[in-house]
Amino acid sequence: MRQVDAEATRRLHERAAPGPTRIWLTNLTVLAASANSARVAAPNSYFASECENRYGALIARTLREATPEIRAVKFVVDPNVATPAPPRSRTDIAEAEIMPEALGAAASRKLVAPTLAEFETMPIPARDFLLSPWLPRRGLAMLYGPRGGGKTWLAWSIAMAVASGSALFDKWAAPRPGRVVYVDGELPAGVIRDRMMTARRGRTGGELADDAIRIIAADLQPEGLRSLDSAEGQRDLDPYLAGADLVIFDNLSALTACRENEADDWAGFQAYLLSLRRRGLSALLIHHAGKGGQQRGTSRREDVLDSVIALRKPQDHVPRDGAAFELHFEKARGFWGDDAAPFGLRFDVGGDGGACWTVTDVDAGDAQRSKARAMKATGASLRDIAAAMGTTKSTVGRWLAE
């Protein structure tokens, strides 16, 4: 058994970075191996769970290489296994993505906690915009709408505006060019390229550098993309984020394995988004609307976001109208008035093969009635509609009758 453990440990050390190896893997112990299974012991339940989630597949594969007969690996808790020493440096912490629960009090961090007077004079950079007025630098935003409603067309136009430092709809403006990483987990590569080229031809003003946008598509990867709410998927993506200003995730359902209605499942990916913001990046999440017209799944997704944009089909929309929708800001942190007012958009491809957007006015009252009718059409009750729109059932009933 010691030979199995030693050989597996050697191979793990060869494959993992120094930080993760020392913190997460060094103190794992193979307790026993039968003809076709092995038990891997960790010092506490948190450590066992994290090791299984982060490195379970790697550990299992490595044990099978050392002992080909092993088919199943189970992670267990054994208090006799020593808890690892705390990280020696911030680099170790960052590499291991270590959490205090794994190491105990020894891993506590010194917090930055200025007094009122210190905070007033602390040199904090002014927050400017990638795309004014709703997408700040180091900002987080969501764009959601029904399937086939034009989300990806709009997302690519946003990417082009940011990358070229140009205006969009004469309503939004990028003050200077920024670098964009577009992560697509759903569409075939040929469709992505068609939409990218259409958006590129349709942009107005600004120079677009050849390397201003990097495309990472699941369809181009021989084994697909690993889920971006996993440590492995995030590590795969990280090398391509260096120097980027904006990363667009299109879409959450295709790129993450979160159970949509489970708030706790979202916590891991939310922590990743906040880490991107600390690194100076902005993120735009593309998501689907549910049957009731709201963003699909837990509302916890919106907690840390600066802006939430909802695309809604007009009441009189018919399929031959194509991508025509109303754009509504459901969350608008730091902007208001005309900047946050809803407006209509219709997408067409112009004679030059470029994206062509037509902007129309949307009356706020009409927008509320339109949303209520759309939700009613999906089977939502008056109570559900009233709760979603922050009003009373009698008001909803009046809107539906008008």
Side-chain angles (χ1 to χ4, degrees):
M1 189 67 261
R2 287 181 180 176
Q3 291 178 344
V4 173
D5 195 1
E7 177 61 15
T9 298
R10 183 186 67 77
R11 296 190 183 196
L12 282 172
H13 283 205
E14 290 176 351
R15 293 172 175 174
T21 298
R22 194 173 65 80
I23 300 300
W24 290 110
L25 304 179
T26 299
N27 287 62
L28 292 178
T29 301
V30 180
L31 289 180
S34 64
N36 59 6
S37 66
R39 290 190 302 137
V40 178
N44 55 54
S45 58
Y46 178 89
F47 212 89
S49 174
E50 287 296 297
C51 285
E52 183 172 11
N53 291 337
R54 294 168 184 263
Y55 300 105
L58 175 63
I59 291 169
R61 185 169 69 250
T62 304
L63 283 171
R64 284 194 292 269
E65 290 174 357
T67 306
E69 295 80 11
I70 292 177
R71 290 291 178 267
V73 177
K74 183 177 181 181
F75 288 77
V76 299
V77 175
D78 183 349
N80 294 318
V81 175
T83 300
R88 290 170 293 193
S89 68
R90 292 188 179 185
T91 300
D92 277 357
I93 294 173
E95 287 180 341
E97 297 172 301
I98 198 70
M99 295 295 288
E101 294 91 332
L103 301 176
S108 61
R109 303 171 184 174
K110 184 177 180 180
L111 302 180
V112 177
T115 64
L116 178 64
E118 291 168 339
F119 195 51
E120 285 180 346
T121 59
M122 182 178 288
I124 299 175
R127 206 175 192 197
D128 61 352
F129 287 91
L130 286 177
L131 194 64
S132 177
W134 61 271
L135 183 59
R137 289 184 180 273
R138 299 164 55 95
L140 305 174
M142 177 190 288
L143 167 66
Y144 79 88
R147 291 186 298 273
K151 299 184 297 295
T152 297
W153 286 116
L154 180 54
W156 267 109
S157 289
I158 291 170
M160 290 294 169
V162 171
S164 61
S166 56
L168 188 58
F169 316 141
D170 291 326
K171 287 179 172 288
W172 303 341
R176 58 185 180 276
R179 294 192 175 275
V180 179
V181 175
Y182 200 110
V183 187
D184 189 296
E186 179 177 325
L187 293 178
V191 175
I192 297 171
R193 182 162 60 187
D194 289 345
R195 297 192 177 190
M196 180 269 291
M197 293 302 296
T198 300
R200 182 172 190 171
R201 296 187 192 106
R203 67 184 181 83
T204 56
E207 294 294 326
L208 182 66
D210 289 340
D211 61 350
I213 301 178
R214 182 177 291 276
I215 298 95
I216 298 176
D219 196 47
L220 294 176
Q221 317 308 318
E223 299 180 25
L225 289 173
R226 294 197 277 192
S227 175
L228 294 183
D229 55 347
S230 71
E232 294 83 2
Q234 292 164 16
R235 283 198 301 273
D236 292 345
L237 181 60
D238 266 0
Y240 304 99
L241 300 183
D245 298 292
L246 171 66
V247 55
I248 299 176
F249 296 103
D250 188 0
N251 57 66
L252 289 182
S253 297
L255 292 171
T256 69
C258 299
R259 291 172 296 177
E260 290 189 328
N261 292 311
E262 297 295 327
D264 288 346
D265 277 17
W266 177 248
F269 192 64
Q270 177 174 285
Y272 177 60
L273 294 175
L274 292 173
S275 75
L276 295 181
R277 188 174 71 182
R278 288 192 296 271
R279 290 161 54 182
L281 279 78
S282 296
L284 174 60
L285 315 177
I286 312 302
H287 191 35
H288 293 303
K291 291 182 178 180
Q294 300 298 104
Q295 64 104 350
R296 203 163 70 190
T298 176
S299 60
R300 184 174 179 180
R301 290 192 180 96
E302 301 179 11
D303 291 350
V304 300
L305 303 180
D306 297 284
S307 307
V308 177
I309 297 174
L311 305 184
R312 302 175 192 154
K313 290 183 179 179
Q315 182 65 24
D316 58 354
H317 181 268
V318 292
R320 67 172 177 269
D321 289 339
F325 47 83
E326 296 172 355
L327 186 148
H328 297 258
F329 285 102
E330 294 190 340
K331 186 173 184 181
R333 179 180 291 164
F335 62 103
W336 51 85
D338 290 344
D339 285 342
F343 58 92
L345 281 173
R346 178 172 178 149
F347 171 81
D348 289 298
V349 178
D352 61 352
C356 180
W357 294 96
T358 302
V359 179
T360 59
D361 293 330
V362 173
D363 178 82
D366 288 343
Q368 290 177 313
R369 287 187 287 272
S370 176
K371 180 179 179 182
R373 289 170 185 150
M375 293 182 68
K376 183 65 175 176
T378 65
S381 66
L382 293 183
R383 183 187 300 275
D384 291 339
I385 298 171
M389 300 184 67
T391 187
T392 64
K393 290 193 296 181
S394 61
T395 300
V396 172
R398 186 175 70 253
W399 287 341
L400 295 176
E402 291 176 352

